Amino acid sequence: MRKPRAVRASAVAVLIWAVLLTGSAHGQDRQFTIGTVSGQIGQLSEESFRPFTDYLSERVAGADFRMVPLDNIEALVDAVDGGRLDFALATPAALVELSSRREIRPIATVLQMAGEDAYPWLAGAVFVKRSRTDIQRLADVRGKKVIALSPLALGGWLAALREWRGLGIDERRDFMTLQFLFSYAKVAAEICAGTADVGVLAAGTLRNVAGECREEFRVLPGPNGISDPRYPAEISTRLYPEAAFAVVGSVQEHVVTMVTQELLAITPGSEVATAATVAGFTAPLSYASVRELMQELRIGPFETFGQLTFSEAVQQHSGKVSIALLGFLSALAFALARTRRLNQQLELSLSERERAEQARAQLEQQLQHSQRMDSIGRLAGAVAHDFNNLLTVINGYSEVALADRPEKDSTRRSLVQIQKAGQRAAELTQQLLTFSKKQISQPVPLNVNTVLRESETMFRRLLGEDVQLVTVAAPSISFTMADRGQIHQVLMNLIVNARDAMPRGGTITIATSDVIVSGNIPGAVGEIAPGSYVSLSVSDTGLGIDAETLPHIFEPFFSTKGEAGTGLGLSTVYGIVRQNQGGIAVSSERSQGTTFTIYLPHTERRSLELLNDAPKPDTGARGPSTVLVVEDQDEVRGFATSVLRSAGYHVLEAASGDEALTVADKHQGRIHLLLTDVVLRGMNGRELSEHFTRRHVSARVLFTSGYADDVIARRGVLQGSIPFLPKPYSSQRLLAKVRAVLDQDDRTASSEGI
């Protein structure tokens, strides 16, 4: 029997629903309501979800989205049963509860942070203090004081309970005490203080709440003694899928498709993701493992799973057998169900063990591939920083020297060659960052033919003599909004895939064109909306892809290359295309070759490449403007200050954040602009700007850096409209950017009447 639901929770849900209906009566857009259990994430209000719902409302035409926070899972079930919700952001347990009552459809699985990366999995961490040498395995908890998060928390209790039950441990009989604290921090603090012996929390949150005891905690290994390589943290249980975004009401299919696309396009760590209390979303996973757990533990809708109730027995055998026999059959059914579960746990055949070991070994190899790629990326970021600082000085001074030489000067030719070599080195540095996947998407109006021309030489070096590269570029092609580095990476991945599919050589053809999509496209992955697109296709004459493999090629870590493949190439292509609001289609047959076609939306915006012939912007100082330059590399600082002084600016300089604040305090007049490197010794550029602008309220700030974009983003730059000048920069780019930032300040002051 299910316990009666709380009247108060139902009343609150009905009241919220009524308010939402009243508010939507005046709007023209169709309103869609999303329900979630706010208790699991700190009693958040509808307003705190506003950036997330506004994001969906802006991108799904004709739709207005609202989030309804509910008190508990039972209130969420009531709202779905009453037809008051269209979508639900549901925990795995809530999703199984709902699916046992009605037909629902998960369309995305939540990504949450685990360490520095986002994963769609959760697991339990059973942890103790390292000094507890008497507790080394899950089986050692007998007779101990155990504390956990909540009796309904999957990672914070149920996953661990399943493992203990599998070891024959009964929490009601074998623990000295069991207590639920309903607070992550309290569980960690109790174990740290030694007032309890064993703690249970979700593995992804343990590191964040451990506090000063982080290094003192030790996570007990799972029953098999090996953590799952799909998850970066130490875990004690099997992996389970994270929460799901699901369709729970009657919603038109095109709306479901658009919502799915926009969820998958959310950038991890963005304001929208934070408002949704997630790191991002990915394609929906299977929740069968959660259903199995709930069945085994007999919770939620499975409280009587496998049992024959007394009333059912009476209905089936009324008039045939006595009441005593019915009681005996009920007891026998219960005993048989329990015996069957025990037998299922014991009957693991040798072949199943071998398959499990092979799968584990494969996952370990995939993890090692991914870690090697990440190490290469980190090295590339560090190398790029040093090179960009050197190139700022080399390219900058060669530009200044070239401008000072008359046309007939004998040294001009040498200076031109130095400048060309420096520009080529800067391009190679950016390509290195693109290959290492360290560039954040910065869409600009882009001509894909230009990217193809720039990269063609590199591609030919990759292919070797037995592979012919043919390019068929449309003579006149529209622009698309995309990141140049990402389009280069898409081409790189597709060409490498095509090369590997032709072990005996062949032909790779890259073609571009303008297309209009008006209907279904054969082989499209997901829906491609009607409209004007720029088409980019890569075809090969290789082995082709069979029908069984084709549906899996965009899955992360799926590879047909054995140890030589990472399984990340095509999944990266798919992610970039979706991030740029495009689509992808693939056609292939065994021994007939393969064609990948990318569709990128057309844009009316003009490329900056077309504006090169426009009059040069005014880069000189207007009036006595003062610029404070903060740069820890002496040569770069010397170049920047020299260029600014020659343009008429009054320049102050400093080598660190602390020195900059001292120089600013000693200066008697107004400082109009702070030009600072992002990564400095001691105080970084973002921290410096916060201290500086509190003292100089009217000053503007311009950031610069030669680091990879992900390093800069972690320091709070590259967000919104924060002015940023990447290294290496020329004297003209420096002066133009400084002038633009100061002019923005002048326009702001004029609009405010200053």
Side-chain angles (χ1 to χ4, degrees):
M1 294 290 291
R2 296 184 54 81
K3 298 179 180 179
R5 298 185 174 85
V7 175
R8 179 181 177 185
S10 300
V12 170
V14 172
L15 179 59
I16 293 175
W17 177 253
V19 171
L20 290 177
L21 280 181
T22 304
S24 64
H26 304 286
Q28 297 180 350
D29 292 342
R30 162 74 191 278
Q31 186 176 100
F32 296 93
T33 307
I34 309 168
T36 190
V37 178
S38 65
Q40 72 197 49
I41 45 179
Q43 297 297 340
L44 297 178
S45 64
E46 178 188 352
E47 190 62 29
S48 62
F49 289 96
R50 184 73 63 187
F52 173 63
T53 52
D54 287 349
Y55 167 87
L56 292 178
S57 299
E58 292 169 3
R59 285 162 174 77
V60 180
D64 181 29
F65 292 83
R66 292 286 186 86
M67 182 70 78
V68 179
L70 300 167
D71 290 343
N72 50 46
I73 292 178
E74 298 203 348
L76 178 66
V77 173
D78 278 341
V80 173
D81 287 346
R84 300 190 295 274
L85 298 179
D86 303 294
F87 299 92
L89 182 56
T91 64
L95 186 74
V96 173
E97 175 92 15
L98 291 171
S99 63
S100 69
R101 306 170 63 86
R102 61 190 302 122
E103 183 178 354
I104 65 171
R105 176 156 55 112
I107 59 175
T109 292
V110 164
L111 293 172
Q112 293 291 11
M113 298 305 296
E116 296 183 357
D117 297 309
Y119 291 83
W121 309 100
L122 60 83
V126 180
F127 64 102
V128 298
K129 293 191 73 172
R130 292 190 181 277
S131 58
R132 295 300 300 267
T133 57
D134 59 324
I135 309 176
Q136 299 290 333
R137 303 170 303 159
L138 290 180
D140 295 336
V141 299
R142 290 184 173 90
K144 301 298 188 294
K145 296 179 180 179
V146 179
I147 56 176
L149 179 64
S150 163
L152 295 179
L154 182 56
W157 172 244
L158 295 177
L161 178 60
R162 186 185 189 187
E163 305 298 342
W164 277 320
R165 293 275 183 89
L167 294 172
I169 296 175
D170 189 324
E171 72 280 8
R172 295 159 295 187
R173 178 191 67 230
D174 295 323
F175 295 166
M176 177 182 290
T177 59
L178 172 61
Q179 187 177 7
F180 298 102
L181 302 185
F182 300 95
S183 167
Y184 293 102
K186 286 183 180 180
V187 173
E190 291 285 335
I191 299 300
C192 183
T195 54
D197 303 315
V198 180
V200 183
L201 285 176
T205 61
L206 176 59
R207 183 183 306 178
N208 299 330
V209 301
E212 61 184 10
C213 276
R214 175 180 297 181
E215 301 302 324
E216 297 183 28
F217 288 158
R218 173 167 49 83
V219 177
L220 302 183
N224 58 8
I226 302 177
S227 293
D228 196 313
R230 291 176 294 175
Y231 200 72
E234 294 178 293
I235 59 176
S236 307
T237 72
R238 282 162 274 194
L239 287 182
Y240 298 93
E242 264 288 357
F245 196 98
V247 182
V248 298
S250 178
V251 183
Q252 292 179 319
E253 191 59 32
H254 77 278
V255 175
V256 174
T257 300
M258 295 175 69
V259 171
T260 304
Q261 292 173 350
E262 299 306 331
L263 291 176
L264 298 179
I266 291 176
T267 303
S270 64
E271 181 186 7
V272 174
T274 302
T277 68
V278 302
F281 293 89
T282 188
L285 303 181
S286 169
Y287 288 82
S289 59
V290 181
R291 176 180 293 272
E292 292 171 0
L293 176 145
M294 297 177 70
Q295 287 177 344
E296 286 188 23
L297 300 181
R298 292 186 181 178
I299 58 176
F302 306 106
E303 289 178 350
T304 59
F305 177 72
Q307 300 180 23
L308 182 64
T309 65
F310 181 78
S311 60
E312 291 171 342
V314 171
Q315 290 178 357
Q316 292 179 17
H317 305 286
S318 176
K320 297 181 181 179
V321 294
S322 66
I323 297 298
L325 181 57
L326 288 177
F328 170 76
L329 291 175
S330 298
L332 181 60
F334 175 81
L336 289 174
R338 184 170 180 83
T339 302
R340 187 162 50 250
R341 288 198 305 275
L342 292 174
N343 287 337
Q344 289 173 351
Q345 295 171 2
L346 295 174
E347 293 176 354
L348 183 62
S349 66
L350 181 59
S351 61
E352 290 174 333
R353 288 182 182 274
E354 291 176 350
R355 285 196 296 270
E357 291 298 329
Q358 291 173 356
R360 184 180 298 108
Q362 183 180 8
L363 289 172
E364 289 175 351
Q365 291 175 357
Q366 292 171 352
L367 179 61
Q368 291 171 0
H369 279 302
S370 181
Q371 289 173 337
R372 284 198 296 269
M373 292 176 65
D374 184 63
S375 298
I376 293 172
R378 293 177 186 274
L379 176 61
V383 170
H385 167 254
D386 293 339
F387 265 82
N388 284 331
N389 275 331
L390 293 172
L391 291 172
T392 298
V393 178
I394 295 171
N395 293 354
Y397 278 121
S398 65
E399 177 192 24
V400 172
L402 191 60
D404 291 340
R405 296 292 187 277
E407 289 293 333
K408 297 182 179 181
D409 193 303
S410 60
T411 62
R412 280 187 62 86
R413 183 176 180 181
S414 298
L415 289 171
V416 168
Q417 294 303 317
I418 292 173
Q419 191 176 46
K420 287 182 177 179
Q423 292 170 351
R424 179 55 183 157
E427 293 172 0
L428 289 174
T429 303
Q430 292 304 311
Q431 289 176 352
L432 179 63
L433 289 174
T434 299
F435 175 76
S436 64
K437 306 174 185 177
K438 291 293 183 182
Q439 284 190 307
I440 291 176
S441 176
Q442 297 183 17
V444 296
L446 188 66
N447 186 322
V448 295
N449 286 348
T450 303
V451 179
L452 184 56
R453 284 195 301 270
E454 293 172 348
S455 307
E456 186 173 352
T457 301
M458 174 183 287
F459 294 156
R460 292 187 186 279
R461 287 200 297 266
L462 283 174
L463 297 179
E465 297 180 355
D466 59 345
V467 177
Q468 181 182 6
L469 178 63
V470 177
T471 59
V472 184
S476 177
I477 197 167
S478 303
F479 285 89
T480 183
M481 287 296 295
D483 183 288
R484 181 184 299 269
Q486 287 189 339
I487 298 304
H488 175 91
Q489 184 176 335
V490 166
L491 282 169
M492 176 78 76
N493 290 4
L494 292 178
I495 287 173
V496 169
N497 258 32
R499 179 200 65 189
D500 294 344
M502 299 185 297
R504 298 181 180 178
T507 301
I508 297 176
T509 303
I510 307 175
T512 64
S513 64
D514 285 331
V515 298
I516 296 177
V517 175
S518 58
N520 294 330
I521 297 178
V525 182
E527 182 179 358
I528 301 178
S532 299
Y533 290 86
V534 174
S535 168
L536 175 63
S537 66
V538 177
S539 303
D540 64 65
T541 58
L543 301 174
I545 307 172
D546 58 57
E548 293 182 0
T549 303
L550 198 59
H552 304 287
I553 59 174
F554 294 106
E555 296 176 4
F557 297 118
F558 179 84
S559 175
T560 60
K561 303 176 185 178
E563 295 183 359
T566 65
L568 296 175
L570 289 179
S571 64
T572 300
V573 169
Y574 179 78
I576 290 175
V577 171
R578 300 306 298 173
Q579 186 177 2
N580 286 280
Q581 312 302 317
I584 185 169
V586 56
S587 61
S588 181
E589 292 183 14
R590 201 65 178 167
S591 302
Q592 299 298 317
T594 303
T595 298
F596 289 91
T597 305
I598 309 298
Y599 296 89
L600 298 172
H602 163 77
T603 181
E604 297 293 341
R605 295 178 59 181
R606 297 182 65 200
S607 169
L608 295 178
E609 299 167 356
L610 301 179
L611 304 180
N612 287 337
D613 296 332
K616 299 294 183 182
D618 181 12
T619 58
R622 300 195 186 103
S625 299
T626 299
V627 181
L628 173 56
V629 178
V630 187
E631 169 64 59
D632 55 5
Q633 295 292 322
D634 296 341
E635 298 83 358
V636 178
R637 187 174 68 255
F639 167 68
T641 56
S642 173
V643 170
L644 291 170
R645 287 191 178 109
S646 66
Y649 292 97
H650 178 221
V651 181
L652 307 173
E653 56 182 295
S656 67
D658 292 329
E659 182 184 350
L661 294 177
T662 301
V663 170
D665 290 340
K666 291 181 179 180
H667 182 68
Q668 298 297 320
R670 177 186 174 189
I671 298 178
H672 298 78
L673 176 69
L674 170 66
L675 171 61
T676 178
D677 198 357
V678 175
V679 182
L680 297 168
R681 291 186 294 270
M683 182 189 309
N684 66 43
R686 185 56 187 261
E687 293 169 340
L688 168 62
S689 71
E690 293 173 352
H691 290 292
F692 177 80
T693 52
R694 280 198 291 267
R695 306 178 190 185
H696 301 269
V697 179
S698 61
R700 303 287 293 174
V701 179
L702 172 59
F703 292 100
T704 182
S705 181
Y707 269 103
D709 289 350
D710 64 334
V711 175
I712 303 170
R714 287 200 296 270
R715 285 160 174 81
V717 185
L718 291 184
Q719 296 177 356
S721 59
I722 295 178
F724 178 73
L725 176 63
K727 296 177 184 176
Y729 52 76
S730 64
S731 61
Q732 288 299 315
R733 288 182 63 196
L734 172 61
L735 292 174
K737 192 67 176 183
V738 168
R739 186 69 265 162
V741 174
L742 290 175
D743 285 347
Q744 183 180 358
D745 185 32
D746 294 340
R747 289 193 297 272
T748 303
S750 175
S751 67
E752 294 175 355
I754 297 177

